[in-house]
Each structure stands twice: as C-alpha cells, then as structure tokens.
Amino acid sequence: LMAQPLLARLQGEIDVIAPAWVAPVVRRMPEVSGVIAAPFRHGPLQLRERWALGRTLKKKGYAEAFVLPNSWKSALVPFFAGIPRRTGYVGEARYGLLNDLRRAPEAPMSEHYARLAGDGPLSQPRLRVSPEEVEQARRKFGIAARYAVLCPGAEYGPAKRWPYFSELA
C-alpha cells in the first residue's frame, strides 16, 4: 500500500510487477489494471529469469517504468524490457539501468514513492473489496460485526508509516 499514492498520481492503464506474496493485495488496488507476479526469490540474482521477464514485457511496448525498490536487481527487468523511460531513486548505483534517476528525499515511504510522479497531496489507501467478501472473511475468522484494527507503527520505524501515523507517534 505504500506505493498506492504514486499509482493514484499516474494516469492510464497501470500494470504492476509485484512479489507473489503481495500480488493479491495489489490486484485489489483500484488504480491497477494488471498484476504480474514476480517469480523471483529474495537473495539470488536470477539473471536468466529477470532477462526472460524483461523480454516478455518488451512485447507489451511499455513507455515508462517506475522502479520502487532501491536494489540494483529491481532495475534489471525494465532495462531488459527496453522501456524508454525508467524512473527511480539512485539506490544501489543504478546508473545506466535507470535513465530518470532521482535523489531520495527525506520522507515517509508513501510520500517518497509518490514524489516520483510529482508533488501534491497523498491519496488515502483503498482496496476494492465487496461487502460479500468482507462478510465471508468475517465468518471465516470469527470476527464480530464491529471491530477496529490499529496499526500505528512499522517494523522498520517511521519511514514505513503513513504520515498521519508518524504525527501521532
């Protein structure tokens, strides 16, 4: 959800490459047209797999890619896909792999990502969920009809919090 303000600032059809464990959440974002579940494991380079995915994406003719993770590996797929504009923060010396490099501002992650598409207010996170799906989950997990969910912090500190949670801390 930290990338959702960026997605809200973009126009047109948006496809997202996401780790398989995040893909189900990304599919529920109203800004997203399609999700490509990344077949990559944490750690290994998997250069052949990244090249193959890049070549598959090349056929789709994307004009621009926003690379959110700061890793060098994350910039390989859009490079291999030959996407003309590849935007992201410098990260792990991604010169050449990205051709629209930015310096990372001091900001919470949601704002950090959104700034890649310009300035302005942050949109609130939202997901497409039907009332029937809510009821099904409520029954499955035995959740009472009224409940509250509080997630004021983040495992890695204030950078991964939504700005209004940082203000409350």
Side-chain angles (χ1 to χ4, degrees):
L1 288 177
M2 292 294 172
Q4 199 166 18
L6 166 66
L7 300 174
R9 288 182 182 177
L10 300 174
Q11 301 295 315
E13 290 191 31
I14 301 170
D15 291 341
V16 175
I17 298 174
W21 59 274
V22 175
V25 174
V26 176
R27 283 187 184 97
R28 293 191 175 277
M29 293 181 179
E31 301 86 359
V32 175
S33 304
V35 176
I36 300 159
F40 312 122
R41 297 181 312 278
H42 183 69
L45 179 58
Q46 297 179 279
L47 189 59
R48 181 177 295 129
E49 292 86 350
R50 291 175 197 279
W51 182 84
L53 179 55
R55 301 322 291 167
T56 299
L57 296 179
K58 184 175 183 75
K59 296 172 189 167
K60 295 189 177 221
Y62 292 108
E64 186 168 10
F66 289 86
V67 182
L68 303 187
N70 284 329
S71 70
W72 185 80
K73 292 185 294 190
S74 65
L76 288 171
V77 171
F79 177 78
F80 291 148
I83 297 172
R85 185 170 181 177
R86 300 177 305 277
T87 301
Y89 294 111
V90 173
E92 295 178 347
R94 302 180 308 171
Y95 305 100
L97 294 177
L98 299 179
N99 55 16
D100 181 13
L101 277 168
R102 314 280 179 86
R103 295 277 173 205
E106 279 291 319
M109 291 303 285
S110 53
E111 186 177 333
H112 172 81
Y113 290 150
R115 283 186 180 173
L116 288 171
D119 292 323
L122 294 183
S123 64
Q124 296 298 310
R126 56 197 173 101
L127 300 175
R128 289 183 299 234
V129 182
S130 72
E132 295 80 19
E133 291 170 311
V134 171
E135 180 60 28
Q136 181 182 13
R138 194 180 66 72
R139 280 195 313 272
K140 178 179 179 180
F141 296 108
I143 299 171
R146 297 189 67 180
Y147 58 91
V149 177
L150 303 175
C151 302
E155 183 176 347
Y156 299 109
K160 302 255 174 153
R161 294 182 193 150
W162 280 88
Y164 49 84
F165 285 130
S166 295
E167 293 168 10
L168 297 173

